[in-house]
């Protein structure tokens, strides 16, 4: 007879209720990051039902251009067809399932399987079979063996998303009020944003929620984890410097932090973008968006479940510029993720600015970036220290709870904020973290109804 220990309690409705009760108190169990049962439920209830970022339209310029991506464990082939449509297929041959296209990007007229040589056109149709009729006979209906499309593919301002649930709500409904904030960078200039270079990707031993939270609601970590920038004089020494601004909690687990400069700091408007672009901003944005953008230093946040965005002011005096990075935190297990990071910049920006901004991004973020290394080290340590016997006690009886209390009962929403969502007048609060987990719990509970 097997003996149940206090550590292997099943993940059930009762436990979910207890987690919700803890969350209401600003607490969450430490084992949420590493528990394999939770990870399985996340794959089924979250990643199979929500919108995931696949890429940007500017990555697919000509018919035949393609990129290969992942929706967690589903390989995706994203193609521009001869009619200019963007299609997404499961990147797996319909004959015996091998990975059809293994290159990161390129241009092709047909995709030929490396296993037995079946060929598919840009619309996913099976157009060639090795030895054709001789082995399958005349009666084989090639239509039946076309590539399998990703059930839903929709775009917003050039951003392409896929959803594995054919009955999911529309992308626009899912993004909801996040659009108001995204438009500040996606719509501000004529022609919108374009991707420069190819996305960088690398593996980190952490959990996807850890990184989602970090970008979604953790400006509090900045003065400590990135202390070296303070020591070098790049960042202010005021420990509150990344608190100034607003943290906004939105529906569906999305969240945004809109930072402004420390009091007394003299930074240029519109994130240091050149003056010749200001009239575009004024034409393309609403008054509320323009007011926010005028004072903003950093817009950083997360789109549930695994996309984050970061739009900072960057550089040193006289050479300030701004760009956008998009991040996908692709889970590879409860303790491992593959990070994908895109660099985007206004299509209408001068070439010199684009190049300088790209260099600034590369030196700060990605595998070669100084700030990235700070964060990576810490994210890894969170998981490392959260899977021991004490941390994984599911009876919530040890003191193994994370503190998500910052701002609770202390900070009230700011009713004068011009944007949608619930906006708090500081970024050193945990409202975004709790918002992420409220929606996370809602989706996990669906399976248990
Ligand atoms: Fe692709 Fe056989 S697996 S042709
Ligand atoms: Fe950081």
């Amino acid at each position: 007879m097997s003996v149940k220990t206090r550590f292997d309690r099943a993940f059930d409705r009762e436990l979910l209720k207890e987690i919700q009760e803890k969350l209401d108190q600003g607490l969450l169990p430490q084992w949420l990051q590493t528990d394999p049962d939770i990870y399985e439920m996340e794959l089924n209830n979250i990643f199979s039902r929500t919108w995931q970022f696949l890429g940007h339209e500017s990555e697919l310029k000509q018919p035949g251009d393609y990129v290969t991506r992942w929706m967690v464990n589903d390989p995706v082939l994203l193609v521009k067809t001869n009619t200019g449509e963007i299609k997404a297929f499961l990147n797996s041959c319909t004959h015996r399932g091998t990975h059809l296209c293994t290159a990161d990007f390129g241009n092709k007229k047909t995709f030929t399987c490396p296993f037995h040589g079946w060929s598919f056109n840009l619309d996913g149709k099976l157009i060639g079979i090795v030895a054709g009729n001789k082995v399958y006979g005349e009666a084989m209906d090639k239509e039946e063996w076309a590539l399998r499309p990703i059930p839903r593919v929709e775009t917003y301002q050039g951003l392409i998303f896929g959803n594995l649930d054919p009955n999911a709500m529309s992308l626009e409904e899912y993004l909801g009020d996040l659009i108001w904030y995204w438009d500040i960078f996606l719509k501000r200039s004529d022609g919108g944003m374009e991707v420069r270079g190819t996305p960088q990707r690398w593996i980190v031993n952490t959990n996807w929620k850890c990184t989602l939270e970090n970008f979604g609601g953790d400006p509090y970590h900045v003065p400590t984890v990135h202390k070296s920038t303070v020591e070098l004089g790049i960042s202010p020494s005021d420990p509150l410097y990344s608190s100034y601004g607003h943290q906004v909690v939105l529906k569906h687990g999305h969240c945004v932090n809109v930072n402004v400069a420390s009091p007394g700091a003299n930074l240029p408007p519109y994130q240091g973008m050149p003056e010749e672009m200001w009239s575009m901003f004024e034409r393309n944005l609403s008054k509320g968006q323009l007011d926010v953008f005028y004072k903003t230093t950093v817009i950083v946040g997360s789109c549930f479940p695994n996309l984050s965005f970061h739009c900072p002011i960057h550089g040193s005096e006289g050479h300030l510029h701004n760009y956008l990075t998009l991040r996908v935190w692709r889970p590879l297990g409860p303790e491992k993720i593959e990070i994908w990071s895109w660099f985007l910049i206004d299509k209408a920006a001068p070439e010199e600015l684009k190049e300088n901004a790209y260099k600034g991004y590369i030196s700060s973020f990605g595998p070669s970036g100084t700030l990235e290394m700070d964060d990576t080290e810490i994210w890894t340590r969170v998981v490392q220290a959260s899977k021991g016997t004490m941390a994984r006690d599911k009876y919530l009886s040890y003191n193994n709870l994370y503190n998500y209390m910052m701002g609770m009962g202390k900070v009230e929403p700011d009713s004068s904020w011009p944007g949608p969502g619930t906006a708090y007048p500081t970024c050193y609060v945990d409202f975004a973290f709790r918002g992420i987990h409220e929606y996370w719990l809602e989706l996990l509970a669906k399976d248990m109804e």
Side-chain angles (χ1 to χ4, degrees):
M1 196 176 111
S2 70
V3 180
K4 273 216 169 249
T5 70
R6 59 185 293 127
F7 305 110
D8 62 6
R9 180 183 176 189
F11 193 82
D12 58 13
R13 199 165 179 68
E14 200 45 44
L15 183 51
L16 213 58
K17 250 174 69 189
E18 285 172 42
I19 297 172
Q20 181 66 61
E21 280 166 20
K22 293 291 178 197
L23 182 59
D24 294 343
Q25 300 162 40
L27 300 164
L28 277 175
Q30 194 168 358
W31 45 262
L32 291 192
Q33 302 268 349
T34 51
D35 189 272
D37 296 343
I38 287 195
Y39 182 70
E40 281 308 310
M41 286 188 65
E42 289 171 345
L43 294 187
N44 291 330
N45 290 16
I46 295 175
F47 290 98
S48 302
R49 294 175 179 171
T50 48
W51 288 94
Q52 291 175 59
F53 181 67
L54 294 174
H56 190 267
E57 283 176 351
S58 61
E59 295 179 90
L60 302 161
K61 291 191 173 67
Q62 308 297 331
D65 281 356
Y66 70 87
V67 292
T68 53
R69 300 284 142 89
W70 291 89
M71 294 174 78
V72 189
N73 293 321
D74 289 278
V76 177
L77 177 60
L78 202 58
V79 195
K80 187 157 196 153
T81 68
N82 284 326
T83 56
E85 212 182 326
I86 289 174
K87 291 196 171 176
F89 304 103
L90 186 68
N91 189 7
S92 168
C93 179
T94 50
H95 178 227
R96 291 289 161 78
T98 197
H99 204 169
L100 177 65
C101 177
T102 51
D104 287 349
F105 62 92
N107 183 284
K108 275 182 185 289
K109 288 191 173 61
T110 54
F111 295 92
T112 300
C113 179
F115 201 170
H116 312 92
W118 284 20
S119 300
F120 303 86
N121 71 9
L122 301 178
D123 290 300
K125 289 203 171 110
L126 176 62
I127 52 166
I129 303 177
V130 174
N133 296 343
K134 292 192 183 68
V135 288
Y136 287 102
E138 299 278 345
M140 183 186 181
D141 183 359
K142 287 206 194 98
E143 295 278 325
E144 278 181 22
W145 300 98
L147 292 179
R148 289 153 285 180
I150 299 303
R152 296 277 294 279
V153 179
E154 290 175 24
T155 60
Y156 181 74
Q157 287 294 319
L159 273 56
I160 308 163
F161 287 79
N163 198 317
L164 300 172
D165 178 3
N167 302 314
M169 68 180 91
S170 73
L171 175 65
E172 279 212 31
E173 186 186 347
Y174 182 71
L175 295 176
D177 288 333
L178 182 58
I179 284 176
W180 193 92
Y181 298 92
W182 275 9
D183 282 353
I184 294 176
F185 44 75
L186 294 179
K187 268 174 109 169
R188 65 188 183 191
S189 60
D190 301 345
M193 289 275 181
E194 63 179 5
V195 169
R196 197 173 180 90
T198 50
Q200 291 181 296
R201 56 198 165 101
W202 65 102
I203 307 273
V204 176
N205 293 324
T206 191
N207 180 268
W208 66 275
K209 296 188 290 299
C210 180
T211 46
L212 183 81
E213 286 182 352
N214 192 273
F215 274 58
D218 201 357
Y220 186 48
H221 83 280
V222 174
T224 308
V225 169
H226 305 297
K227 197 173 167 197
S228 60
T229 64
V230 178
E231 285 162 355
L232 288 168
I234 302 166
S235 301
S237 55
D238 174 5
L240 286 169
Y241 84 88
S242 52
S243 74
Y244 302 113
H246 284 75
Q247 182 171 98
V248 187
V249 181
L250 300 158
K251 227 175 140 181
H252 301 142
H254 310 320
C255 39
V256 188
N257 301 269
V258 183
N259 278 123
V260 295
S262 310
N266 191 20
L267 283 170
Y270 300 131
Q271 297 185 299
M273 291 301 274
E275 220 168 318
E276 65 260 30
M277 293 180 75
W278 294 3
S279 62
M280 264 190 248
F281 306 156
E282 286 154 11
R283 191 160 18 89
N284 293 331
L285 298 179
S286 71
K287 188 181 171 320
Q289 288 167 321
L290 207 60
D291 286 350
V292 168
F293 183 32
Y294 188 86
K295 292 178 280 198
T296 292
T297 50
V298 178
I299 304 181
V300 59
S302 288
C303 171
F304 193 87
N306 65 334
L307 171 67
S308 292
F309 48 94
H310 184 220
C311 186
I313 192 166
H314 205 115
S316 50
E317 225 180 304
H319 301 282
L320 288 166
H321 46 252
N322 162 250
Y323 54 82
L324 169 68
T325 58
L326 293 175
R327 290 294 183 95
V328 165
W329 318 110
R330 176 192 166 209
L332 293 176
E335 297 172 22
K336 197 183 270 196
I337 58 170
E338 183 178 52
I339 301 178
W340 288 66
S341 178
W342 286 256
F343 171 90
L344 296 97
I345 188 98
D346 306 67
K347 218 173 181 172
E351 180 55 31
E352 195 189 345
L353 180 136
K354 291 182 186 180
E355 191 51 31
N356 287 339
Y358 187 70
K359 282 182 191 155
Y361 153 77
I362 290 288
S363 61
S364 304
F365 295 102
S368 59
T370 48
L371 299 177
E372 193 79 49
M373 291 304 104
D374 298 338
D375 290 315
T376 305
E377 180 65 27
I378 289 293
W379 295 335
T380 305
R381 290 192 209 171
V382 170
V383 163
Q384 227 169 45
S386 298
K387 55 186 180 183
T389 301
M390 284 181 73
R392 71 189 164 88
D393 171 30
K394 281 195 193 164
Y395 282 85
L396 308 176
S397 50
Y398 274 135
N399 185 19
N400 66 355
L401 297 160
Y402 287 142
N403 181 320
Y404 284 80
M405 294 174 176
M406 195 162 44
M408 272 180 98
K410 278 196 182 320
V411 182
E412 292 300 319
D414 177 0
S415 56
S416 68
W417 177 249
T422 310
Y424 297 88
T426 166
C427 294
Y428 283 5
V429 281
D430 286 339
F431 293 104
F433 283 81
R434 291 199 295 277
I436 288 172
H437 284 92
E438 288 285 350
Y439 193 56
W440 177 84
L441 276 168
E442 188 185 319
L443 293 180
L444 290 193
K446 266 191 181 159
D447 201 40
M448 296 193 179
E449 278 163 10

